[in-house]
Amino acid sequence: MYGGGYIFDEPNRKQQREEQLHDDPEKLAAFEARIARGEKIEPGDWMPAEYRRQLIRLIEQHAHSEIIGALPEGTWITRAPGFKRKLALIAKVQDEVGHGQLLYNAAETLGKSREAMINDLLSGKSKYSNVFNYPAETWADVTVIGFLIDAAAIVNQVANSKGSYGPYCRALERICYEESFHLKQGHDAFIELATGTPAQKAMLQDALNRWWQPIMHFFGPPDKTSNHSEKLMQWKVKMASNDDMRNQFLDAYVPKIWELGLTLPDPLLRKNPDTGKWEYSDPDWDLFFEVIKGNGPCNKERLDVRKWAEEHGRWIRKALMRPEEMERSALPVA
Amino acid sequence: MNDSLDPRVNRLRLDKNDGSFKVEEGENWNVFEVFHQEKRGAHHEHVGCVHAPDANLALIFAKEQFGRRKKCVNLWVVRSADILAFDLEDEDMFANNPDKTYRDASGFKVMEKINKFKAHTK
């Protein structure tokens, strides 16, 4: 899953702006020319301080989202209906955790250690996709996550896999391949409820109603309120605007929901035949920022579970430690 | 704290957590690069990396991470610190490779000479 379009930025970026002023203009021009030619940037290459900072922020939050995203679904492994669904859910959750590992590795090539990233997650400094601060109340929630949240993440990840930073692109190619299984198994479970008994249909409709707003939040605030994305687009860190990705998602998936006789809780939702763009009511963006700040229904539980896992895993990490192996500690090279 | 929907989470007694826990630098071990072989006889290709305390465990993690799908018959791991590479900035030292046609089959035009010889001896 799970690279949300919205990447949280710290309010005070003054220091980094100062650093950016000191980028060598000649090197900066060569760097931007290389990206314009479609070449990839690799870990050892010169890069502007702001490019490095933004990429760490993007990839790290993507990694955290994979790890935290495994929690609401992991809850349902023991209760998944039937052996086949259980096996598929276990495989999917393990994939998500693996994606987290791939992404942490990609972020590490930029110079931030794995440990520093985990600490920033646990302290709340570094964020993850907002959708995982909502509870998965029923099995229908799991099918909505597996189908629609994964679909939204794929829209974002396919776009990002054409970005400029080599290690991130390579990680995303592998991730997108596995996501195609997640999407298919989610769609399959979703259809089974949608075409099932009246009780199953009602359960799915209820889950859809509750998840629609978080899904509309997923790609981040509308372009008209988003400020600093022009440079990021030029540097191919951000590959499409929030509104464009949201539109692409609606275009591909709203028909797949409607064709099953389900409804979406937005009376204004429609595709404008003249512009070819989707129109919709604005989701509650104040609520979105409130949940990012830590006040969603599950923020505390998610971080507490992560903290518990790190704390209780320490003894085995230490038991396996080989002091002589640690002498030449290094970051990944590719 | 509200009860979680997950009974396993409720059993953890998370409210006892004082929030002071921090991961120490180096606690997540070293980095190993992973090379994947798709079939016997093929080259091993670099596919990514894993964190592990030593090479043996790196292999086990590599199997979980990179041998989960598609064909795989073998994996290699090597510590990232042991990889020696040229600087990417030195890319220009390979620049004139394609110009050295005397190292290429296409640099030698034998048919022209043979045809000329045959035409001459007719």
Side-chain angles (χ1 to χ4, degrees):
Chain A
M1 249 185 245
Y2 289 142
Y6 180 75
I7 301 302
F8 174 80
D9 200 3
E10 290 163 55
N12 187 357
R13 298 183 301 133
K14 197 167 170 221
Q15 191 197 334
Q16 281 83 11
R17 285 207 200 94
E18 303 270 313
E19 266 176 54
Q20 158 123 54
L21 291 178
H22 297 130
D23 282 334
D24 179 340
E26 223 169 274
K27 286 182 173 168
L28 181 62
F31 168 86
E32 291 184 340
R34 163 169 283 171
I35 289 178
R37 284 196 301 271
E39 288 176 29
K40 301 287 181 192
I41 306 300
E42 294 294 336
D45 285 333
W46 183 91
M47 60 186 84
E50 181 65 4
Y51 176 83
R52 184 184 298 276
R53 193 184 74 84
Q54 292 283 0
L55 268 175
I56 291 176
R57 193 170 69 95
L58 168 75
I59 304 172
E60 175 182 350
Q61 291 185 32
H62 190 170
H64 294 331
S65 301
E66 301 280 355
I67 301 289
I68 297 289
L71 299 177
E73 286 182 305
T75 293
W76 278 92
I77 289 174
T78 55
R79 290 173 277 179
F83 192 54
K84 193 184 160 200
R85 297 273 178 228
K86 220 182 272 288
L87 283 177
L89 191 57
I90 291 170
K92 176 178 193 287
V93 167
Q94 191 183 343
D95 282 350
E96 307 296 7
V97 174
H99 297 172
Q101 306 292 322
L102 291 172
L103 292 161
Y104 281 130
N105 279 324
E108 280 173 284
T109 62
L110 291 156
K112 184 168 182 180
S113 74
R114 172 86 55 118
E115 292 86 352
M117 289 188 264
I118 294 173
N119 282 331
D120 284 349
L121 170 69
L122 298 184
S123 74
K125 183 173 175 231
S126 176
K127 305 296 178 187
Y128 51 86
S129 187
N130 225 15
V131 283
F132 306 120
N133 289 318
Y134 293 88
E137 291 177 16
T138 69
W139 172 250
D141 292 48
V142 181
T143 72
V144 170
I145 295 173
F147 178 37
L148 295 174
I149 304 279
D150 275 71
I154 289 173
V155 168
N156 183 55
Q157 288 170 161
V158 167
N160 280 355
S161 74
K162 306 196 169 56
S164 62
Y165 190 57
Y168 187 40
C169 299
R170 290 192 286 274
L172 284 175
E173 272 169 35
R174 180 168 280 268
I175 289 171
C176 288
Y177 173 80
E178 297 186 356
E179 290 291 345
S180 59
F181 143 69
H182 300 176
L183 178 65
K184 202 67 187 283
Q185 67 88 30
H187 197 187
D188 185 70
F190 187 92
I191 291 170
E192 190 162 308
L193 293 184
T195 58
T197 65
Q200 285 175 320
K201 275 185 230 170
M203 182 168 75
L204 182 60
Q205 184 63 58
D206 170 61
L208 204 49
N209 294 347
R210 282 181 289 108
W211 281 91
W212 190 245
Q213 175 148 285
I215 288 170
M216 291 300 283
H217 283 155
F218 185 84
F219 293 102
D223 296 349
K224 58 178 192 277
T225 63
S226 187
N227 33 26
H228 52 273
S229 58
E230 204 173 298
K231 200 70 189 169
L232 295 183
M233 299 271 255
Q234 186 199 338
W235 284 347
K236 296 187 187 169
V237 171
K238 195 169 173 54
M239 296 302 288
S241 81
N242 297 350
D243 285 341
D244 284 349
M245 284 193 290
R246 193 162 18 241
N247 191 70
Q248 203 186 327
F249 168 77
L250 294 172
D251 209 34
Y253 292 96
V254 171
K256 289 189 166 60
I257 298 168
W258 282 346
E259 77 184 2
L260 294 167
L262 297 157
T263 61
L264 290 167
D266 179 358
L268 299 184
L269 184 69
R270 66 165 199 137
K271 186 172 180 170
N272 184 325
D274 301 326
T275 61
K277 299 268 184 200
W278 284 79
E279 293 168 357
Y280 44 84
S281 339
D282 251 340
D284 183 348
W285 291 111
D286 293 337
L287 175 71
F288 173 76
F289 289 110
E290 201 53 37
V291 176
I292 285 182
K293 264 197 278 170
N295 301 323
C298 296
N299 300 53
K300 188 172 181 316
E301 178 185 329
R302 302 284 184 248
L303 289 186
D304 281 350
V305 168
R306 279 302 298 130
K307 247 176 244 171
W308 188 95
E310 287 296 333
E311 206 169 345
H312 290 76
R314 170 171 278 168
W315 72 272
I316 192 154
R317 288 196 298 274
K318 290 224 154 141
L320 291 166
M321 196 79 81
R322 305 262 183 285
E324 71 281 5
E325 293 275 347
M326 291 305 292
E327 278 163 25
R328 287 175 303 161
S329 172
L331 296 172
V333 294
Chain B
M1 157 173 194
N2 289 336
D3 271 0
S4 169
L5 290 171
D6 190 337
R8 297 169 307 165
V9 170
N10 287 325
R11 285 197 291 273
L12 300 180
R13 314 292 302 271
L14 292 174
D15 47 337
K16 294 239 159 72
N17 204 323
D18 71 353
S20 63
F21 179 81
K22 270 194 127 169
V23 183
E24 290 160 22
E25 273 307 310
E27 197 174 327
N28 277 275
W29 309 313
N30 262 337
V31 187
F32 291 78
E33 304 292 328
V34 181
F35 298 80
H36 165 274
Q37 190 184 33
E38 198 182 314
K39 58 178 187 226
R40 196 173 262 271
H43 284 291
H44 283 70
E45 280 183 19
H46 182 252
V47 281
C49 36
V50 292
H51 279 243
D54 59 32
N56 283 317
L57 211 51
L59 262 184
I60 291 173
F61 291 156
K63 176 184 169 288
E64 286 304 308
Q65 180 77 63
F66 298 102
R68 270 167 72 60
R69 285 209 172 73
K70 291 189 176 172
K71 280 194 70 180
C72 177
V73 295
N74 193 248
L75 292 167
W76 287 346
V77 292
V78 60
R79 193 154 42 177
S80 301
D82 290 337
I83 296 214
L84 185 64
F86 286 113
D87 273 350
L88 287 166
E89 278 181 22
D90 293 336
E91 196 179 319
D92 59 345
M93 73 173 133
F94 305 109
N96 61 356
N97 278 356
D99 304 336
K100 296 181 179 172
T101 55
Y102 55 84
R103 301 198 289 207
D104 245 338
S106 66
F108 298 88
K109 309 284 181 214
V110 293
M111 282 317 289
E112 275 175 32
K113 294 190 186 87
I114 292 170
N115 289 338
K116 202 173 155 191
F117 169 76
K118 283 182 178 167
H120 189 71
T121 53
K122 250 177 203 168

